[in-house]
Structures are given as structure tokens and as C-alpha cells.
Amino acid sequence: MLIKFCNQCGHEVKYQVPHGDDKPRAICQRCFHIQYENPKIVNACIVEHGGKILLGKRTIEPRKGFWNVPAGFMENGEATRSGAVREVKEEVLAELKNVTLFGVYNIIQRNQVHVYFRGELAHDEYGAGAETSDARLFAPEDIPWDRLAFPVGITALKRYIKEMPTGDFTIKEEDIIIDYDLLKQFDPQPSND
Amino acid sequence: MLIKFCNQCGHEVKYQVPHGDDKPRAICQRCFHIQYENPKIVNACIVEHGGKILLGKRTIEPRKGFWNVPAGFMENGEATRSGAVREVKEEVLAELKNVTLFGVYNIIQRNQVHVYFRGELAHDEYGAGAETSDARLFAPEDIPWDRLAFPVGITALKRYIKEMPTGDFTIKEEDIIIDYDLLKQFDPQPSND
């Protein structure tokens, strides 16, 4: 979303390249405050319990009605790990143990970086929390791949499940490319179950 | 920096907790646009060449005159890795090969996440670039620890150097705690050499 006004003095901004910079920024034409726009971080956690994966069903757009790895935008005042733990607590009402880094996924088309962790349920307790209508444990062979919400979750889950049998988990940094044409063509409707 | 005005319509904002949220956000009192504030990403790369580490000397505040691992704020439209590669090119005029993830460092006090890579010089070429007065290769035993700019760089470099002899590099996610009292007490002045 293009910036139109200064958030410090309320005057109009123009996109101009500041001295010593090489990119246009939203510069206030009165107080010269610069509003920088930077990528946002999403923290997520793949949660395992007894060889199954915990997913939540989304009640909000985008991708309402689709299943997802618990995830959400990082807040000021938290760490990537504590952000992921918070999202799991909020969305699928679960406490975690053994939380460790799993991947860094760049989504350039969305100006997002998703930091994925993996962890285990601390207790056998979970449920549908905020923005979630259902929470379920899926055996690897039962994961509803065509009803998963986002390419980044699919990419991370596929690697997790591949590495599960040996427990020899890697940590990867990868780019996620969103194919908008494919999404339009094949996007299934969410089920009502 | 507190947000005072709407960057979409220029009207005053108030910090209020939106419906369904649990944190105060800057909400426009006319058009109800919400300006979210989130942590920023810094990408960095530890660059090795012939068993030595490439550092740049900062010409800008904060920590002007101190040595640093090439690093900078991530831009929209790039990936963490390409951001790190760009910073190395800009600051120490070097091309890289074998760039791979090294660490994710949370700096909660700064609302920053630093994504560290490691890589090697593609050619034996480097020099002082943007915001940099000097670029040098340091043998591990010659690294000027008390003249390094930031705790995050020190933490990452220490682990890198510890892991160098075997080449068995790990990837870690860690919190960096800035001790402001210690900084005030012991902060050395930058040298002029």
C-alpha cells in the first residue's frame, strides 16, 4: 500500500531517492521524515505429537477454510521463537517443548520472510483457538495437501515429513515462488467439514 | 518512533486495541486505517577468504569507526540471501560464492532479527565501499574484538571461528541481549588507524 502522508506531521509525502540512497522512499515534503517500507516476518511452528502433525483450520481470509501450520506476523518485543510459540498457543491452544529452528523461507512477492520452527506438544492438549475453527493431528499420509492454505507451509511440511523417519532434521533457507496463474486455475474451494 | 498521523489520509491517529486484537495499534480516527509496527530484518554475511575473515570499518553512526561484518536492512523485493549478498557488494565491494545460512539472531531490544549467512570470496577482490572507510581480511587470532561494532556480530563471529577448524558449521537461532550499562562503561573509542 503506497504511503501518501507523513505519519509524523501529517503533510503529503513524495517518493524520492534520498541523498546517499539508491531507492525511492516516502519523504515528507514539510518535515523530511522518511517512512521506510521493509519486509515483515511471519513466525511458524510445525508441531508434532506421537508421529502426527498438528494443523489448524483458518476462519479468516486469506484462505479461509484451509488448513495451516500455526503461523502469524511477528510483533515488536518478541523473538522469532517466542513469536512462533505464541502463535501456537493462540491458534491451536497448545504448549510446546523442544522448539528448534527449521527453516527460513523468503516470499519475495509478498515482502515476507517466514521463520519456521519445529516442536512437540508439551501435553496432550490442543484445540481450536483464535482465527481457527478446528485443530487436528494428521498422520503424514493423511495430510490434506490440496486443502493446505499456503505454498510456504506445504514446502516446509514436505521437508519435515521427508526427514521425520530418521529424525535427522536439516535447517534450510529457501525461496518460495507463488504461481498466481496456477493458484487461479487449481485453487480448490475449502470444504465445509 | 511513535506514529502520530495516518499515512493514508493525513488525519490524527490514536493508539487503540482493534476488535479481535490484543495490542494497541496506531488507528486513524477518520479512515480507520491501521499502521502496524513490526520488527525489521537485517541481513549479514561472514565472508571467509584463505582462512581469514573480511570486515569493513564503519563511516556512519551508530558505531562509526568500528569494524563490522557486512550487514544492512533488508529491502522489499529481495530475499534474505540476496540481501546479504547485496550488502557485501555495497560495503566491501566483493562477490561471493557458497553462500549458506549461518544463524538467526533476535535483538528484542531493537525490534530486529538478524539473518546471518556465511560465504567465500568468489575472487581475490574487495575494498572499502558504501559507508565503509576500510576493508581488511583478519586472521582469526587478529580480529579486533574490542573494536567490533555490535554484539550480534561478535556472537556470530565467535561461533564461526570456533567452528572453522573442522568446517562443521551449525545453524543456530539465538537471542542477543544488549547490556546498555556495560556498553556505557566499557565502550572503547574507535581508533583512527
Side-chain angles (χ1 to χ4, degrees):
Chain A
M1 187 180 276
L2 229 54
I3 293 170
K4 301 188 190 103
F5 293 90
C6 177
N7 65 8
Q8 293 304 305
C9 81
H11 198 80
E12 277 181 46
V13 304
K14 278 187 184 162
Y15 276 83
Q16 297 169 320
V17 179
H19 179 71
D21 199 341
D22 60 358
K23 289 172 193 68
R25 314 283 181 185
I27 305 179
C28 177
Q29 301 300 298
R30 181 164 62 192
C31 76
F32 304 108
H33 174 67
I34 302 176
Q35 284 178 74
Y36 289 94
E37 294 152 279
N38 301 91
K40 288 188 196 301
I41 301 168
V42 171
N43 295 314
C45 190
I46 296 175
V47 182
E48 187 180 331
H49 183 64
K52 294 182 171 182
I53 308 290
L54 185 58
L55 300 177
K57 200 178 203 180
R58 292 171 63 83
T59 60
I60 55 164
E61 296 293 353
R63 305 291 272 166
K64 183 178 166 177
F66 287 81
W67 293 93
N68 198 22
V69 175
F73 284 107
M74 185 172 180
E75 299 281 357
N76 281 348
E78 66 185 1
T80 48
R81 184 188 309 217
S82 60
V85 167
R86 175 182 55 74
E87 293 292 345
V88 169
K89 195 169 182 175
E90 287 177 5
E91 295 185 354
V92 292
L93 309 177
E95 303 283 343
L96 295 172
K97 63 180 181 185
N98 302 331
V99 179
T100 185
L101 188 63
F102 183 69
V104 174
Y105 296 97
N106 308 295
I107 310 181
I108 298 177
Q109 290 148 297
R110 295 259 189 271
N111 294 317
Q112 293 176 359
V113 174
H114 291 231
V115 180
Y116 266 67
F117 292 84
R118 58 185 174 87
E120 297 164 52
L121 280 192
H123 324 285
D124 188 9
E125 287 169 16
Y126 59 92
E131 306 169 354
T132 303
S133 62
D134 195 1
R136 281 193 218 167
L137 286 166
F138 290 93
E141 59 272 21
D142 296 332
I143 286 177
W145 295 107
D146 62 346
R147 288 179 188 171
L148 290 188
F150 302 112
V152 60
I154 294 173
T155 302
L157 268 180
K158 282 197 171 158
R159 177 161 63 85
Y160 188 91
I161 284 165
K162 195 174 158 198
E163 296 175 347
M164 258 176 96
T166 62
D168 215 358
F169 291 104
T170 58
I171 304 170
K172 290 205 187 302
E173 181 256 352
E174 286 183 83
D175 294 343
I176 304 291
I177 313 293
I178 302 171
D179 185 335
Y180 292 107
D181 288 341
L182 200 72
L183 269 187
K184 262 185 232 156
Q185 208 176 333
F186 291 107
D187 227 17
Q189 287 303 302
S191 73
N192 293 316
D193 65 358
Chain B
M1 187 180 275
L2 229 54
I3 294 170
K4 300 189 190 103
F5 293 89
C6 176
N7 65 9
Q8 293 304 305
C9 81
H11 198 79
E12 277 182 46
V13 303
K14 278 188 185 163
Y15 276 84
Q16 297 167 320
V17 179
H19 180 70
D21 200 341
D22 61 357
K23 287 172 195 68
R25 314 284 182 184
I27 304 179
C28 178
Q29 301 298 301
R30 180 164 63 192
C31 77
F32 303 106
H33 173 68
I34 302 176
Q35 285 177 75
Y36 289 94
E37 293 153 277
N38 302 91
K40 289 189 196 300
I41 301 168
V42 170
N43 296 313
C45 191
I46 295 174
V47 182
E48 186 179 332
H49 184 66
K52 294 182 173 182
I53 309 291
L54 185 58
L55 300 176
K57 200 179 203 179
R58 293 172 64 83
T59 60
I60 55 164
E61 295 295 353
R63 306 291 273 166
K64 181 177 166 178
F66 288 81
W67 293 93
N68 199 24
V69 175
F73 284 107
M74 184 171 181
E75 299 280 356
N76 281 347
E78 65 186 2
T80 48
R81 184 187 310 216
S82 61
V85 167
R86 174 182 57 71
E87 293 292 345
V88 168
K89 194 167 182 176
E90 287 177 6
E91 295 186 354
V92 293
L93 309 176
E95 303 282 344
L96 294 174
K97 63 181 181 184
N98 302 330
V99 180
T100 185
L101 187 63
F102 183 68
V104 174
Y105 296 97
N106 308 295
I107 310 181
I108 298 177
Q109 291 148 298
R110 295 260 190 269
N111 294 316
Q112 293 177 359
V113 174
H114 290 231
V115 180
Y116 266 69
F117 293 84
R118 58 185 174 88
E120 297 163 52
L121 280 192
H123 324 283
D124 187 10
E125 287 169 15
Y126 58 91
E131 306 170 353
T132 304
S133 63
D134 195 1
R136 281 193 217 167
L137 286 167
F138 290 93
E141 61 273 21
D142 295 331
I143 287 177
W145 295 106
D146 62 347
R147 289 177 186 173
L148 290 187
F150 303 111
V152 60
I154 294 172
T155 302
L157 269 180
K158 281 196 171 160
R159 177 160 64 86
Y160 188 91
I161 284 166
K162 194 175 157 196
E163 297 176 346
M164 258 177 97
T166 62
D168 215 357
F169 291 105
T170 57
I171 305 171
K172 290 204 187 303
E173 181 255 353
E174 286 182 84
D175 295 343
I176 303 291
I177 313 293
I178 302 172
D179 184 335
Y180 291 108
D181 287 341
L182 200 72
L183 270 186
K184 262 186 230 156
Q185 209 176 335
F186 291 109
D187 226 17
Q189 289 302 303
S191 74
N192 291 315
D193 65 357

